Short mmCIF file of all heavy atoms in Angstrom, two decimals:
data_model
loop_
_atom_site.label_atom_id
_atom_site.label_comp_id
_atom_site.label_asym_id
_atom_site.label_seq_id
_atom_site.Cartn_x
_atom_site.Cartn_y
_atom_site.Cartn_z
N LEU A 17 127.20 66.27 -113.35
CA LEU A 17 127.59 65.15 -114.20
C LEU A 17 128.76 65.59 -115.10
O LEU A 17 129.78 64.88 -115.19
CB LEU A 17 126.43 64.66 -115.05
CG LEU A 17 126.74 63.59 -116.07
CD1 LEU A 17 127.21 62.31 -115.41
CD2 LEU A 17 125.52 63.34 -116.95
N HIS A 26 134.88 59.44 -121.13
CA HIS A 26 133.53 59.97 -121.40
C HIS A 26 133.54 61.11 -122.39
O HIS A 26 134.44 61.93 -122.38
CB HIS A 26 132.87 60.44 -120.10
CG HIS A 26 132.88 59.43 -119.02
ND1 HIS A 26 133.51 59.64 -117.83
CD2 HIS A 26 132.31 58.20 -118.93
CE1 HIS A 26 133.34 58.58 -117.04
NE2 HIS A 26 132.63 57.69 -117.70
N LEU A 27 132.46 61.18 -123.14
CA LEU A 27 132.19 62.32 -124.02
C LEU A 27 130.66 62.53 -123.96
O LEU A 27 129.90 61.56 -124.07
CB LEU A 27 132.64 62.01 -125.43
CG LEU A 27 132.37 63.08 -126.48
CD1 LEU A 27 133.17 64.33 -126.18
CD2 LEU A 27 132.74 62.55 -127.85
N ILE A 28 130.26 63.76 -123.80
CA ILE A 28 128.84 64.04 -123.75
C ILE A 28 128.48 64.94 -124.94
O ILE A 28 129.13 65.95 -125.16
CB ILE A 28 128.41 64.66 -122.39
CG1 ILE A 28 126.89 64.73 -122.29
CG2 ILE A 28 129.05 66.00 -122.16
CD1 ILE A 28 126.40 65.02 -120.89
N LEU A 29 127.47 64.51 -125.68
CA LEU A 29 126.91 65.34 -126.75
C LEU A 29 125.76 66.09 -126.10
O LEU A 29 124.78 65.48 -125.68
CB LEU A 29 126.39 64.48 -127.89
CG LEU A 29 127.40 63.53 -128.52
CD1 LEU A 29 126.74 62.66 -129.58
CD2 LEU A 29 128.56 64.29 -129.11
N MET A 61 122.12 59.32 -133.29
CA MET A 61 121.70 58.69 -132.04
C MET A 61 122.19 57.26 -131.90
O MET A 61 122.33 56.76 -130.79
CB MET A 61 120.16 58.74 -131.89
CG MET A 61 119.61 60.12 -131.63
SD MET A 61 120.12 60.85 -130.09
CE MET A 61 119.24 59.87 -128.91
N TYR A 63 125.03 56.21 -132.14
CA TYR A 63 126.34 56.20 -131.50
C TYR A 63 126.26 56.58 -130.00
O TYR A 63 127.27 56.60 -129.33
CB TYR A 63 127.27 57.16 -132.22
CG TYR A 63 127.44 56.82 -133.68
CD1 TYR A 63 126.90 57.63 -134.66
CD2 TYR A 63 128.09 55.65 -134.06
CE1 TYR A 63 127.01 57.29 -136.00
CE2 TYR A 63 128.23 55.31 -135.40
CZ TYR A 63 127.67 56.14 -136.35
OH TYR A 63 127.79 55.81 -137.69
N VAL A 64 125.09 56.86 -129.52
CA VAL A 64 124.90 57.26 -128.13
C VAL A 64 124.72 56.01 -127.27
O VAL A 64 123.98 55.10 -127.63
CB VAL A 64 123.66 58.19 -128.00
CG1 VAL A 64 123.34 58.48 -126.55
CG2 VAL A 64 123.88 59.49 -128.80
N ASP A 65 125.40 55.99 -126.13
CA ASP A 65 125.26 54.88 -125.20
C ASP A 65 124.18 55.14 -124.15
O ASP A 65 123.45 54.25 -123.76
CB ASP A 65 126.58 54.58 -124.48
CG ASP A 65 127.60 53.94 -125.39
OD1 ASP A 65 127.21 53.11 -126.24
OD2 ASP A 65 128.79 54.25 -125.25
N ILE A 66 124.13 56.38 -123.64
CA ILE A 66 123.22 56.74 -122.57
C ILE A 66 122.67 58.15 -122.84
O ILE A 66 123.43 59.05 -123.14
CB ILE A 66 123.93 56.75 -121.21
CG1 ILE A 66 124.53 55.38 -120.89
CG2 ILE A 66 122.97 57.17 -120.09
CD1 ILE A 66 125.46 55.39 -119.68
N CYS A 67 121.37 58.30 -122.69
CA CYS A 67 120.76 59.64 -122.74
C CYS A 67 120.59 60.11 -121.31
O CYS A 67 120.53 59.33 -120.36
CB CYS A 67 119.40 59.57 -123.42
SG CYS A 67 119.52 59.19 -125.19
N VAL A 68 120.53 61.42 -121.15
CA VAL A 68 120.36 62.02 -119.82
C VAL A 68 119.10 62.88 -119.85
O VAL A 68 118.89 63.64 -120.79
CB VAL A 68 121.59 62.90 -119.45
CG1 VAL A 68 121.40 63.54 -118.08
CG2 VAL A 68 122.87 62.08 -119.50
N ALA A 69 118.28 62.73 -118.82
CA ALA A 69 117.06 63.52 -118.72
C ALA A 69 116.79 63.86 -117.25
O ALA A 69 117.30 63.21 -116.36
CB ALA A 69 115.87 62.73 -119.30
N ALA A 87 114.29 58.43 -126.03
CA ALA A 87 115.45 57.55 -125.86
C ALA A 87 115.01 56.09 -125.83
O ALA A 87 115.60 55.24 -126.52
CB ALA A 87 116.20 57.91 -124.59
N LEU A 92 117.56 53.21 -126.27
CA LEU A 92 118.66 53.79 -125.51
C LEU A 92 118.28 53.94 -124.04
O LEU A 92 117.20 54.44 -123.72
CB LEU A 92 119.05 55.14 -126.07
CG LEU A 92 119.63 55.14 -127.48
CD1 LEU A 92 119.77 56.54 -128.02
CD2 LEU A 92 120.95 54.40 -127.50
N PRO A 93 119.17 53.54 -123.13
CA PRO A 93 118.89 53.74 -121.71
C PRO A 93 119.06 55.20 -121.31
O PRO A 93 119.64 55.99 -122.04
CB PRO A 93 119.94 52.87 -121.03
CG PRO A 93 121.06 52.77 -122.01
CD PRO A 93 120.44 52.88 -123.38
N VAL A 94 118.54 55.52 -120.13
CA VAL A 94 118.52 56.91 -119.67
C VAL A 94 119.07 57.02 -118.25
O VAL A 94 118.66 56.27 -117.35
CB VAL A 94 117.08 57.47 -119.69
CG1 VAL A 94 117.04 58.92 -119.20
CG2 VAL A 94 116.48 57.36 -121.09
N LEU A 95 119.97 57.97 -118.07
CA LEU A 95 120.37 58.42 -116.73
C LEU A 95 119.35 59.49 -116.38
O LEU A 95 119.32 60.54 -117.03
CB LEU A 95 121.80 58.95 -116.73
CG LEU A 95 122.29 59.53 -115.40
CD1 LEU A 95 122.26 58.48 -114.28
CD2 LEU A 95 123.71 60.09 -115.57
N TYR A 96 118.56 59.23 -115.36
CA TYR A 96 117.36 60.04 -115.12
C TYR A 96 117.37 60.65 -113.75
O TYR A 96 117.31 59.97 -112.74
CB TYR A 96 116.14 59.14 -115.31
CG TYR A 96 114.80 59.82 -115.33
CD1 TYR A 96 114.61 61.04 -115.97
CD2 TYR A 96 113.72 59.21 -114.74
CE1 TYR A 96 113.35 61.64 -115.99
CE2 TYR A 96 112.46 59.80 -114.77
CZ TYR A 96 112.31 61.01 -115.39
OH TYR A 96 111.06 61.58 -115.40
N ALA A 111 115.24 50.21 -117.74
CA ALA A 111 116.05 50.88 -118.77
C ALA A 111 116.60 52.23 -118.30
O ALA A 111 117.21 52.94 -119.08
CB ALA A 111 115.22 51.09 -120.05
N VAL A 112 116.36 52.58 -117.03
CA VAL A 112 116.88 53.85 -116.52
C VAL A 112 117.75 53.61 -115.31
O VAL A 112 117.54 52.67 -114.55
CB VAL A 112 115.75 54.86 -116.16
CG1 VAL A 112 114.87 55.16 -117.35
CG2 VAL A 112 114.93 54.40 -114.99
N TRP A 113 118.70 54.50 -115.15
CA TRP A 113 119.44 54.62 -113.90
C TRP A 113 118.84 55.85 -113.24
O TRP A 113 118.93 56.95 -113.78
CB TRP A 113 120.93 54.86 -114.12
CG TRP A 113 121.68 53.71 -114.68
CD1 TRP A 113 122.22 52.67 -113.98
CD2 TRP A 113 122.03 53.48 -116.04
NE1 TRP A 113 122.89 51.83 -114.84
CE2 TRP A 113 122.77 52.31 -116.12
CE3 TRP A 113 121.77 54.19 -117.23
CZ2 TRP A 113 123.27 51.80 -117.31
CZ3 TRP A 113 122.25 53.69 -118.42
CH2 TRP A 113 122.99 52.51 -118.44
N PHE A 128 127.70 56.35 -109.67
CA PHE A 128 127.23 55.88 -110.98
C PHE A 128 128.40 55.74 -111.94
O PHE A 128 128.60 54.68 -112.56
CB PHE A 128 126.18 56.83 -111.54
CG PHE A 128 125.83 56.57 -112.98
CD1 PHE A 128 125.02 55.49 -113.31
CD2 PHE A 128 126.33 57.36 -114.00
CE1 PHE A 128 124.70 55.22 -114.64
CE2 PHE A 128 126.02 57.11 -115.32
CZ PHE A 128 125.21 56.03 -115.64
N LEU A 129 129.20 56.78 -112.05
CA LEU A 129 130.31 56.76 -113.01
C LEU A 129 131.39 55.75 -112.63
O LEU A 129 131.98 55.12 -113.52
CB LEU A 129 130.91 58.16 -113.15
CG LEU A 129 130.05 59.21 -113.81
CD1 LEU A 129 130.68 60.58 -113.73
CD2 LEU A 129 129.75 58.84 -115.26
N LEU A 132 129.78 52.11 -113.42
CA LEU A 132 129.19 51.85 -114.73
C LEU A 132 130.12 50.96 -115.57
O LEU A 132 131.30 51.20 -115.67
CB LEU A 132 128.98 53.19 -115.47
CG LEU A 132 128.31 53.10 -116.84
CD1 LEU A 132 126.89 52.58 -116.72
CD2 LEU A 132 128.34 54.47 -117.50
N SER A 133 129.52 49.95 -116.17
CA SER A 133 130.29 49.04 -117.04
C SER A 133 129.58 48.93 -118.38
O SER A 133 128.39 49.24 -118.49
CB SER A 133 130.43 47.67 -116.39
OG SER A 133 129.17 47.00 -116.42
N MET A 134 130.29 48.44 -119.36
CA MET A 134 129.69 48.22 -120.67
C MET A 134 128.57 47.17 -120.57
O MET A 134 127.57 47.27 -121.27
CB MET A 134 130.75 47.81 -121.69
CG MET A 134 130.24 47.87 -123.10
SD MET A 134 129.36 49.40 -123.46
CE MET A 134 130.49 50.20 -124.49
N ASP A 136 126.56 46.80 -118.04
CA ASP A 136 125.41 47.55 -117.53
C ASP A 136 124.69 48.29 -118.65
O ASP A 136 123.45 48.26 -118.74
CB ASP A 136 125.81 48.58 -116.47
CG ASP A 136 126.38 47.95 -115.20
OD1 ASP A 136 126.01 46.81 -114.87
OD2 ASP A 136 127.18 48.63 -114.52
N ILE A 137 125.48 48.95 -119.48
CA ILE A 137 124.91 49.71 -120.60
C ILE A 137 124.17 48.77 -121.53
O ILE A 137 123.02 49.05 -121.95
CB ILE A 137 126.00 50.49 -121.35
CG1 ILE A 137 126.56 51.59 -120.45
CG2 ILE A 137 125.44 51.08 -122.66
CD1 ILE A 137 127.82 52.24 -121.00
N LEU A 138 124.76 47.62 -121.86
CA LEU A 138 124.12 46.68 -122.78
C LEU A 138 122.83 46.11 -122.19
O LEU A 138 121.84 45.94 -122.91
CB LEU A 138 125.09 45.56 -123.15
CG LEU A 138 126.28 45.99 -124.00
CD1 LEU A 138 127.26 44.84 -124.20
CD2 LEU A 138 125.82 46.56 -125.34
N LYS A 140 120.82 47.61 -120.04
CA LYS A 140 119.82 48.66 -120.08
C LYS A 140 119.36 48.90 -121.52
O LYS A 140 118.17 49.19 -121.75
CB LYS A 140 120.37 49.97 -119.48
CG LYS A 140 120.71 49.89 -118.01
CD LYS A 140 119.48 49.98 -117.14
CE LYS A 140 119.89 50.09 -115.68
NZ LYS A 140 118.76 49.97 -114.78
N LYS A 141 120.27 48.81 -122.49
CA LYS A 141 119.87 48.95 -123.89
C LYS A 141 118.90 47.86 -124.31
O LYS A 141 117.93 48.11 -125.01
CB LYS A 141 121.10 48.93 -124.81
CG LYS A 141 121.83 50.25 -124.91
CD LYS A 141 122.92 50.17 -125.98
CE LYS A 141 123.54 51.55 -126.17
NZ LYS A 141 124.49 51.57 -127.30
#
Side-chain angles (χ1 to χ4, degrees):
L17 174 64
H26 307 118
L27 178 65
I28 189 167
L29 304 176
M61 289 297 289
Y63 302 110
V64 173
D65 287 323
I66 302 170
C67 292
V68 179
L92 296 171
V94 179
L95 176 60
Y96 189 39
V112 302
W113 291 275
F128 170 75
L129 291 173
L132 182 65
S133 71
M134 193 47 108
D136 294 333
I137 294 169
L138 293 174
K140 296 282 188 189
K141 278 187 174 187

